[in-house]
Amino acid sequence: MSNVLVITNRKLCKEDFFGRIEALAAAGPKGIILREKDLPEAEYLELARQTAEICDRYRTPCVLHSFPGIALELGVKRLHLPLPILRNLSPDERAYFTVLGASCHSAEDAREAETLGCTYITAGHVFDTDCKKGLPGRGLEFLKQVCESVKTPVYAIGGIAPENYKEVMAAGATGVCVMSGAMVCEAPGHYLSAFSEKTEQAANTQKGIR
């Protein structure tokens, strides 16, 4: 099974957004996080409704982002939140979600997210990325510290690519998040499979196979 979470950014798409979502869902990622948090709530609701329908057809988990009320309205039990929003959810609201993630930028953040019941966290940004222009990546040592500070699965985010995937996993990550590459690649299936190939290569190397 894939350990790659896709983060959406409709502004990067060169084609129809829902066509891109369908191609990604068909490729079998760990899940698709609908991050379009800049949208007004009503527009996000419609985008979430259609995205969830596409993901359901391919049995790819759809994770909503930033809008707990919309997740409740649509009956979606997977949600990712910035830590400040997560803090404002009541215990009952948090308990509703079977998958609950939070964006963390330190080991302290990660421990708090774990205390608040998160089933996974994202840690970043690890490497330099165009999404955070002018802000240097926090690096692999940061990622290692976060992974060692919690029992909750950690997904690395920020500048992740097949070329640095093995380093990220070696630092203790459960998986990775990708955005730009997933939104603009010509062949989503091939792009996501490149991460699986790196996993197989690493396993073969450990077995002494060259």
Side-chain angles (χ1 to χ4, degrees):
M1 179 181 288
S2 172
N3 60 358
V4 180
L5 285 170
V6 171
I7 314 291
T8 71
N9 185 339
R10 72 193 188 285
K11 295 178 181 178
L12 296 177
C13 285
K14 300 174 183 177
E15 77 273 43
D16 173 68
F17 177 73
F18 294 116
R20 172 61 49 160
I21 292 295
E22 184 155 11
L24 287 165
K30 181 73 173 179
I32 295 177
I33 300 178
L34 186 65
R35 187 181 178 271
E36 315 298 324
K37 60 182 183 178
D38 63 301
L39 285 175
E41 196 162 341
E43 291 182 30
Y44 186 91
L45 171 62
E46 186 54 36
L47 197 74
R49 194 190 309 276
Q50 295 185 59
T51 299
E53 289 175 357
I54 293 170
C55 288
D56 285 347
R57 289 205 299 270
Y58 292 94
R59 297 184 179 180
T60 294
C62 176
V63 183
L64 301 191
H65 193 293
S66 293
F67 295 99
I70 288 177
L72 291 169
E73 182 174 344
L74 295 179
V76 175
K77 293 195 172 185
R78 306 181 190 95
L79 181 66
H80 187 98
L81 294 174
L83 197 52
I85 298 179
L86 177 64
R87 291 180 185 128
N88 289 328
L89 292 189
S90 70
D92 286 345
E93 288 172 325
R94 296 197 304 269
Y96 170 82
F97 298 99
T98 56
V99 174
L100 183 61
S103 302
C104 297
H105 307 294
S106 67
E108 183 180 4
D109 283 356
R111 287 190 291 268
E112 181 180 0
E114 185 171 68
T115 300
L116 290 172
C118 283
T119 60
Y120 77 95
I121 63 172
T122 60
H125 60 289
V126 177
F127 302 112
D128 293 355
T129 171
D130 287 343
C131 299
K132 303 284 186 180
K133 284 186 177 180
L135 294 176
R138 293 181 169 90
L140 291 169
E141 185 58 33
F142 149 80
L143 177 61
K144 183 179 179 181
Q145 290 173 1
V146 171
C147 293
E148 291 176 348
S149 70
V150 292
K151 296 179 180 179
T152 304
V154 176
Y155 286 78
I157 189 170
I160 308 298
E163 292 74 23
N164 57 37
Y165 173 75
K166 287 194 291 184
E167 298 173 79
V168 168
M169 298 303 292
T174 297
V176 299
C177 301
V178 294
M179 184 173 71
S180 300
M183 291 292 103
V184 303
C185 64
E186 292 186 5
H190 178 73
Y191 172 74
L192 291 179
S193 69
F195 291 91
S196 298
E197 290 167 6
K198 292 296 182 182
T199 301
E200 292 171 4
Q201 290 171 11
N204 289 338
T205 298
Q206 290 172 358
K207 293 175 183 177
I209 301 173
R210 298 293 187 270

